[in-house]
Amino acid sequence: MSQGEYVAAVYGVVFVVVLVYVAIMAAKLVRLEREMAELLELARRRAATALTDEPVPTA
Amino acid sequence: MGLAVLLALIVAPEDADQGISQRIFYIHVPIALTAYFCFGLGALKALLLLWRGDERYDLESYVAIHQGTIFGSLTLVTGALWAKASWGVWWTWDSNQLVLFLVLFLFYCAYFMLRFSLPEGARRARSSAVYALFGVVLIPVSFLAIRLAEDFIHPTVFTREGPQMSGSMFLTFVVSWSAVTLLAYVLYRVELTGKRIDRDLRELREVLS
């Protein structure tokens, strides 16, 4: 390998590692977003159930 | 980062001694300094955890050390490539700075083994903090090793007389260092925020179930 190729390899390695790290973080954020949506749905269902189960006030 | 790469690969003049391979300096040294900084930050957060007892410092210390190991890996890989280009070998055990950096890196790799071998809680946070604090001793030793041992293999650019390079080379180095530090800070904040949301969601799931 020539010296220029070593320089290219160094900058390439750094670029790839940062790219992989960002991709992992992005995948994690997608997972967190999905979990958040699931929990929101669960909380909404709980709230709806609590409303229907509420006793009807009598006169 | 784009400006730093542009300056390092195109604008900065070629070194008369090392030739084109000297351009590795502009990425290798900032990454190494960032790794030291991240390990130091992790130890500082660990100290704050032990001192103030605030649990949030545990996650901050962990994320800083995690960043440190990523930048540490990059330091070793870029250093090996630079060594091969300049010295003709991937690694040399004769350079104290290389060996001490490897020891520091492996020490903090073992941090994760300790951390994940213990159940989550205050005991794990305290044990991890104590371990992170022990490692901080290695940082100045590793950083100053080249000067203490008068190591002639690994070059010394920053001496008591100032940086041994031209103005444009120094400017390129400063821009690269700032870019890598900023990148590390952004990655630290993103990872920390992700970990905090993850922890909060787990707690919320437990409350709702």
Side-chain angles (χ1 to χ4, degrees), chain B residues 82-157:
Chain B
W82 195 8
K84 184 67 179 165
S86 294
W87 309 332
V89 289
W90 295 103
W91 182 265
T92 172
W93 293 101
D94 298 331
S95 176
N96 292 309
Q97 196 173 31
L98 299 192
V99 176
L100 280 167
F101 188 86
L102 182 66
V103 170
L104 176 72
F105 173 75
L106 292 174
F107 183 90
Y108 276 110
C109 283
Y111 167 91
F112 298 100
M113 290 162 69
L114 169 78
R115 189 176 174 88
F116 295 115
S117 66
L118 295 170
E120 204 175 327
R123 188 170 157 254
R124 183 177 86 168
R126 278 197 310 274
S127 303
S128 304
V130 170
Y131 189 88
L133 266 179
F134 274 124
V136 83
V137 180
L138 291 167
I139 298 172
V141 175
S142 171
F143 189 74
L144 297 171
I146 190 166
R147 286 156 183 88
L148 294 172
E150 292 181 349
D151 187 336
F152 296 110
I153 299 168
H154 197 281
T156 311
V157 177

Side-chain angles (χ1 to χ4, degrees), chain B residues 1-198:
Chain B
M1 275 306 283
L3 177 67
V5 172
L6 189 77
L7 286 171
L9 296 180
I10 297 164
V11 179
E14 201 161 293
D15 185 65
D17 183 36
Q18 286 196 49
I20 196 171
S21 68
Q22 186 270 342
R23 293 183 192 276
I24 296 171
F25 165 83
Y26 302 115
I27 194 81
H28 172 73
V29 177
I31 284 174
L33 293 175
T34 306
Y36 283 130
F37 179 77
C38 289
F39 289 139
L41 183 68
L44 176 71
K45 297 287 182 183
L47 179 69
L48 287 170
L49 170 77
L50 294 172
W51 191 7
R52 296 184 184 167
D54 192 339
E55 290 285 316
R56 78 186 165 102
Y57 291 120
D58 176 51
L59 204 55
E60 291 179 6
S61 174
Y62 163 74
V63 172
I65 291 170
H66 186 230
Q67 294 283 322
T69 48
I70 291 167
F71 281 94
S73 317
L74 278 175
T75 305
L76 291 170
V77 172
T78 57
L81 283 162
W82 195 8
K84 184 67 179 165
S86 294
W87 309 332
V89 289
W90 295 103
W91 182 265
T92 172
W93 293 101
D94 298 331
S95 176
N96 292 309
Q97 196 173 31
L98 299 192
V99 176
L100 280 167
F101 188 86
L102 182 66
V103 170
L104 176 72
F105 173 75
L106 292 174
F107 183 90
Y108 276 110
C109 283
Y111 167 91
F112 298 100
M113 290 162 69
L114 169 78
R115 189 176 174 88
F116 295 115
S117 66
L118 295 170
E120 204 175 327
R123 188 170 157 254
R124 183 177 86 168
R126 278 197 310 274
S127 303
S128 304
V130 170
Y131 189 88
L133 266 179
F134 274 124
V136 83
V137 180
L138 291 167
I139 298 172
V141 175
S142 171
F143 189 74
L144 297 171
I146 190 166
R147 286 156 183 88
L148 294 172
E150 292 181 349
D151 187 336
F152 296 110
I153 299 168
H154 197 281
T156 311
V157 177
F158 297 98
T159 62
R160 283 178 186 165
E161 287 79 39
Q164 304 299 301
M165 61 178 98
S166 70
S168 59
M169 284 175 156
F170 185 61
L171 176 73
T172 304
F173 171 72
V174 170
V175 171
S176 296
W177 192 10
S178 308
V180 172
T181 306
L182 189 65
L183 176 73
Y185 177 73
V186 170
L187 295 180
Y188 170 78
R189 295 303 311 178
V190 169
E191 187 175 342
L192 188 62
T193 307
K195 295 250 181 253
R196 279 181 179 152
I197 294 172
D198 196 19

Side-chain angles (χ1 to χ4, degrees), chain A residues 3-4 6-7 9-11 13-14 17-18 21 25 28 31-32 35-36 38-39 42 46, chain B residues 8-9 18 20-21 23 27 67 70 74 78 81 84-85 187 191 194-195 198 201 205 208:
Chain A
Q3 289 212 337
Y6 280 112
V7 175
V10 164
Y11 283 86
V13 163
V14 174
V17 168
V18 172
Y21 185 87
M25 282 294 124
K28 190 175 178 173
R31 179 177 65 80
L32 290 175
E35 279 183 24
M36 180 79 87
E38 280 172 18
L39 285 174
L42 187 64
R46 286 278 170 85
Chain B
L9 296 180
Q18 286 196 49
I20 196 171
S21 68
R23 293 183 192 276
I27 194 81
Q67 294 283 322
I70 291 167
L74 278 175
T78 57
L81 283 162
K84 184 67 179 165
L187 295 180
E191 187 175 342
K195 295 250 181 253
D198 196 19
L201 280 177
R205 193 177 285 277
L208 284 171

